[in-house]
Amino acid sequence: MLEERRLRLLSAMTAGGLWPADSPWVRQAMEAVPRDRFAPDAVHVWTGERYEVVRRAETPEAWAAAVHPDPYASTVTQVTDSMPTSSISCAAIVATMLDALAPEPGHRVLELGTGSGWNAALLAQRTGQGHVTSIEIDAELAAHARRRIEAAGHRVRITTGDGDAELPEGKAFDRVISTYAVDHVPWAWVERTRPGGRIVTPWGHTGCVALTVADDGTSATGWMQAPARFMPTRHAGRPPAPFERLRDGDGGLPAQFPRNVEKLAHPDVLFALRVLLPDVQIDTRAAGNDGQMTAWLSDGRSSWAVLQQAGTAVTAHRGGERNLADEADRAWTVWEERGSPGMYDFGLHLTPDAHHVFTGDDPHGPRWQPLAHALQHPPHTSGGRTAQAGHRSPLRRSARSSAQSTPTGRTVTIPTFSSPLRLALSS
């Protein structure tokens, strides 16, 4: 039963063309290092209303299905206050990020966010034993991961600490990878990466980026690699309020949204709005085949909006001090006025004193800044590290001209607020 589920996931990765062609070692590592060896005996499955515990001893078939889901689903391993706070990331995005990281045998790798330990074991399978260091802020998770990694025959140095600030001293690392999202890549990560080394991390709400450290070590630059949803760093402070808590049964006020809600689900649009409205989380769900689409917007503090489309008719309602429907429309307009760049056109450029977003080939070209209201209200983020979905784009900027987003109908699960919703991703 367990082996059947494992093989089914691997076959789905093959059928979906999800194994990175430039990194055959990723497939070999995933075949040699099964997810189930790193899963706890109790995992959590969303029922449509809440997370329920699935225990291996009681329902082994359901446990196996949860541990080896489809390539775009994660396995929730920890729930705190009804919210998922740790998971075994979905196989698709793990493959994408490992490909982007491009570790070589003998490379020294620093992982930020050990979680279950699966990703660290995959890295050890590639680099060799004893070359991977992993930091986990949750002492209980770190202890469990250490036991599972050792039981699987791998040697990884695991420490308990804050990956945003408490980095190991000594020789710089060849590669650094984070398993949680950050809004600003800590400069300490660049300082601990050798010149020419690479940093791969989820960035913001909707993507992951691969950065290369400059030869002189004074900057790091890179482009987006895939649409993905990760939970943010636990170091970020007060978590956002769940959508349902903000709305609190309120029907809201009528609002205007003069756009096609279905197009809001496109990753290029979602990513652009994330750049321009960094404190606003947007989730979409399609219902049926007749153009029905719902979008939920929230700033995690006091304001929310619901956008619904049936056929060509769009209705919108909002609550709180901000009109998020209007802000989303204005941000969309700014994106269009700047040429509607695709997600893979966006990049990050870091220096010790600056962190800015750009599009195109020149990191010193025109910058993208949040809209004025977002500047006045810095984003609040929550703890955890749940990778939900992704599909790869070429790592090199020169190869991106043939990799712009076009619809494929791919569907992935993205837990947000207090329930998982479904979002059609395109590549």
Side-chain angles (χ1 to χ4, degrees):
M1 177 195 318
L2 184 60
E3 181 66 5
E4 178 185 347
R5 285 287 183 177
R6 185 183 75 85
L7 293 176
R8 186 182 302 181
L9 172 57
L10 296 175
S11 296
M13 291 284 290
T14 301
L18 301 175
W19 297 117
D22 295 335
S23 303
W25 71 268
V26 172
R27 178 174 185 169
Q28 296 163 5
M30 285 196 180
E31 290 175 343
V33 185
R35 292 165 63 93
D36 54 86
R37 294 186 184 179
F38 302 87
D41 290 334
V43 296
H44 303 263
V45 175
W46 180 253
T47 66
E49 295 182 352
R50 62 185 180 279
Y51 283 96
E52 288 190 351
V53 177
V54 174
R55 303 184 187 281
R56 185 174 190 174
E58 298 172 357
T59 53
E61 186 170 351
W63 183 88
V67 171
H68 291 291
D70 69 63
Y72 292 105
S74 65
T75 303
V76 177
T77 58
Q78 184 185 69
V79 173
T80 305
D81 295 330
S82 301
M83 296 289 287
T85 50
S86 188
S87 77
I88 304 177
S89 302
C90 70
I93 191 60
V94 170
T96 296
M97 292 180 67
L98 291 178
D99 178 37
L101 188 67
E104 298 291 343
H107 269 175
R108 299 179 69 252
V109 179
L110 174 63
E111 180 192 47
L112 307 165
T114 314
S116 69
W118 184 48
N119 196 65
L122 293 172
L123 287 166
Q125 184 77 11
R126 172 60 171 173
T127 64
Q129 304 306 319
H131 293 296
V132 178
T133 298
S134 187
I135 301 176
E136 172 56 52
I137 197 170
D138 186 314
E140 183 177 353
L141 287 177
H144 289 175
R146 187 178 295 109
R147 288 195 294 269
R148 295 182 192 117
I149 289 172
E150 291 176 352
H154 296 285
R155 188 156 53 90
V156 173
R157 180 192 176 199
I158 298 176
T159 63
T160 302
D162 181 357
D164 287 359
E166 302 171 16
L167 303 184
E169 300 292 336
K171 185 179 178 181
F173 291 91
D174 299 291
R175 299 289 187 265
V176 172
I177 184 170
S178 171
T179 66
Y180 54 83
V182 293
D183 285 311
H184 294 278
V185 178
W187 181 249
W189 295 3
V190 180
E191 291 180 316
R192 298 300 296 121
T193 307
R194 66 165 173 82
R198 185 166 296 159
I199 302 167
V200 174
T201 181
W203 182 78
H205 305 310
T206 57
C208 64
V209 64
L211 303 166
T212 299
V213 178
D215 290 341
D216 61 4
T218 61
S219 65
T221 305
W223 286 263
M224 296 301 149
Q225 297 301 304
R229 177 65 56 82
F230 284 71
M231 287 191 175
T233 170
R234 298 188 184 187
H235 186 66
R238 181 175 63 87
F243 181 87
E244 292 87 348
R245 188 180 304 164
L246 284 182
R247 189 173 185 179
D248 195 26
D250 180 14
L253 300 172
Q256 297 295 319
F257 190 74
R259 295 182 180 273
N260 187 315
V261 179
E262 186 175 7
K263 292 182 179 179
L264 189 58
H266 196 284
D268 288 349
V269 178
L270 281 175
F271 190 83
L273 296 193
R274 180 265 172 265
V275 171
L276 294 165
L277 299 172
D279 63 342
V280 177
Q281 186 153 317
I282 302 173
D283 295 280
T284 61
R285 180 170 57 192
N289 299 316
D290 55 355
Q292 296 185 42
M293 176 70 71
T294 301
W296 294 263
L297 291 72
S298 168
D299 68 358
R301 295 185 301 274
S302 63
S303 301
W304 59 269
V306 176
L307 315 176
Q308 295 176 302
Q309 179 168 337
T312 60
V314 175
T315 59
H317 292 84
R318 53 166 288 262
E321 64 182 34
R322 298 169 61 180
N323 186 340
L324 295 186
D326 180 67
E327 288 187 35
D329 178 42
R330 288 192 290 118
W332 198 326
T333 299
V334 170
W335 174 63
E336 291 175 330
E337 291 174 346
R338 298 193 64 171
S340 304
M343 189 190 77
Y344 301 136
D345 286 317
F346 281 89
L348 292 182
H349 180 67
L350 280 66
T351 65
D353 303 317
H355 178 132
H356 69 258
V357 180
F358 64 93
T359 49
D361 296 311
D362 183 6
H364 303 290
R367 302 181 181 184
W368 287 68
Q369 300 287 354
L371 295 184
H373 193 104
L375 285 171
Q376 297 169 9
H377 298 268
H380 289 81
T381 50
S382 64
R385 50 186 64 78
T386 301
Q388 293 309 313
H391 50 314
R392 69 185 303 275
S393 73
L395 179 63
R396 298 177 181 85
R397 182 66 183 91
S398 60
R400 291 170 186 279
S401 58
S402 61
Q404 296 308 305
S405 299
T406 54
T408 63
R410 189 172 289 161
T411 302
V412 300
T413 302
I414 299 182
T416 54
F417 305 130
S418 61
S419 66
L421 306 177
R422 299 191 71 80
L423 171 67
L425 290 188
S426 308
S427 65

